[in-house]
Amino acid sequence: MSLDLSRINQLVVNRLRLDAEGQAVRDILGVNGQGVRMAAALTCIIHADDLDKTPLPAAPFLAWRRMPTLLSERVVHRASYTWWMYDDRAQGYARLDELYGLIMRAYALRTLDQDTGGVIGAVELGDGGAQLFDRTLQRNASSINLYITAA
Amino acid sequence: MDEGLRGFDEMIAWLEVLPARLEQAADEGLEHGADILEASGQMTRLYRNDTGATRGSTVAYVDNGSGGDRVAAAYATAQQLNPQRTEFNTIGGSAPETSAVVLTNFTAYNADLVTQGGGAQDWITEAMYAHANSIMLEVARRLREVFR
């Protein structure tokens, strides 16, 4: 069965933005060095195309992007996403490393469309975690990839 | 020698060369894939290229020791077009019994290029995702031919 990309986008983002499984991720977002929340966590999850808009969300924040899909016999068989994680340079990478684990856990806790009997067969995570510095954004960065396969 | 024994000897001889023939078939399929990836990487529109070094030094090769000439030519292109920002970006030493296609260029800023702005200019992932499936199908087709 083909994946509905619009629906999958919504499920992937809402897992961290709204679902209970994403609460631990949201608890970290937008919190400054003194542990004070600088912005609502919801504003700290944006599409990667919005990274060129200013001001950027309070750090740490997340940006998502869907990667090219894999077609098999004209059916969208696999959709891939990258969650980019950003933090202020002074914070180092500790919070990004923590986010990496929390994002993994958020997707592992419950299948994305389990409740609705959907078409997602498997959700795999991996290929990420490198400690990067984004010179354009002047932020520390890391990423985690998410692969969603049709049932 | 009777027919049965000759058939057995031929089968043993075929089995002895089989691993090498499979490896060769897989490498030929991957070489085909490397050509596709290189062309795709050179045609990308994800980034703007001022000097031509990024596009011109984009190269793909099978990591089996056969890509030396392609790598050298691509590196020379980067040195010619942007000598201040040339870097030898390559990997070597795939795990034993593993074949890999390497897609890269020889600019010092390639790592930044593919990661900045949430991967907005990630030309490597674009090429890999676009062609991975067809490359694997080509490798599979060539492996099947070994048994014909």
Side-chain angles (χ1 to χ4, degrees):
Chain A
M1 192 180 292
S2 187
L3 293 172
D4 176 343
L5 292 177
S6 175
R7 172 79 177 136
I8 302 296
N9 288 347
Q10 194 177 36
L11 288 168
V12 166
V13 176
N14 283 350
R15 172 52 51 101
L16 301 190
R17 187 174 272 171
L18 298 172
D19 292 352
E21 291 84 354
Q23 184 61 52
V25 173
R26 293 193 293 274
D27 285 345
I28 291 183
L29 299 179
V31 178
N32 75 4
Q34 287 73 48
V36 177
R37 184 173 298 280
M38 300 299 289
L42 293 186
T43 66
C44 296
I45 299 176
I46 62 175
H47 190 276
D49 279 352
D50 293 332
L51 287 168
D52 59 359
K53 293 179 180 167
T54 54
L56 287 169
F61 66 93
L62 305 177
W64 67 280
R65 184 188 298 283
R66 194 181 69 234
M67 308 306 289
T69 55
L70 187 59
L71 289 173
S72 180
E73 296 176 349
R74 299 189 185 86
V75 167
V76 178
H77 178 66
R78 196 179 206 213
S80 306
Y81 293 80
T82 302
W83 277 107
W84 290 90
M85 304 170 270
Y86 297 94
D87 205 350
D88 295 329
R89 198 167 194 180
Q91 295 291 333
Y93 291 92
R95 297 197 301 194
L96 298 183
D97 289 345
E98 187 176 1
L99 276 169
Y100 185 90
L102 290 173
I103 291 172
M104 266 205 292
R105 184 168 160 74
Y107 286 100
L109 283 172
R110 178 172 56 91
T111 307
L112 286 172
D113 60 354
Q114 190 179 52
D115 301 339
T116 53
V119 299
I120 294 175
V123 178
E124 301 164 50
L125 288 127
D127 300 352
Q131 296 183 334
L132 308 168
F133 180 66
D134 190 312
R135 292 179 208 287
T136 304
L137 302 180
Q138 288 293 301
R139 299 284 195 287
N140 285 347
S142 190
S143 66
I144 182 168
N145 289 338
L146 181 69
Y147 307 103
I148 293 172
T149 309
Chain B
M1 186 182 293
D2 66 31
E3 285 300 317
L5 280 177
R6 184 155 49 218
F8 182 76
D9 286 345
E10 284 174 358
M11 186 180 76
I12 294 297
W14 184 79
L15 286 173
E16 284 176 344
V17 300
L18 182 60
R21 291 182 64 186
L22 287 172
E23 190 173 341
Q24 182 186 354
D27 278 358
E28 286 171 0
L30 291 175
E31 296 280 2
H32 173 79
D35 290 342
I36 293 170
L37 289 172
E38 185 174 303
S40 176
Q42 289 172 346
M43 288 189 296
T44 185
R45 292 176 176 270
L46 284 184
Y47 60 81
R48 204 161 45 85
N49 194 358
D50 290 331
T51 68
T54 314
R55 214 173 289 279
S57 71
T58 291
V59 63
Y61 59 94
V62 182
D63 187 27
N64 59 4
S66 67
D69 291 346
R70 294 171 85 156
V71 168
Y75 185 72
T77 300
Q79 278 194 311
Q80 182 186 354
L81 295 174
N82 197 350
Q84 304 302 317
R85 305 196 68 191
T86 300
E87 189 171 283
F88 199 73
N89 300 319
T90 185
I91 63 165
S94 296
E97 301 175 5
T98 300
S99 292
V101 176
V102 179
L103 175 62
T104 188
N105 67 42
F106 295 107
T107 61
Y109 47 82
N110 189 54
D112 282 346
L113 185 66
V114 299
T115 57
Q116 286 185 115
Q121 301 175 97
D122 185 358
W123 63 276
I124 292 180
T125 300
E126 176 195 51
M128 288 291 189
Y129 274 83
H131 302 292
N133 204 32
S134 63
I135 292 170
M136 284 304 101
L137 289 173
E138 178 64 17
V139 170
R141 186 185 70 78
R142 291 179 189 238
L143 289 172
R144 279 197 304 274
E145 283 181 357
V146 172
F147 295 95
R148 286 189 177 145

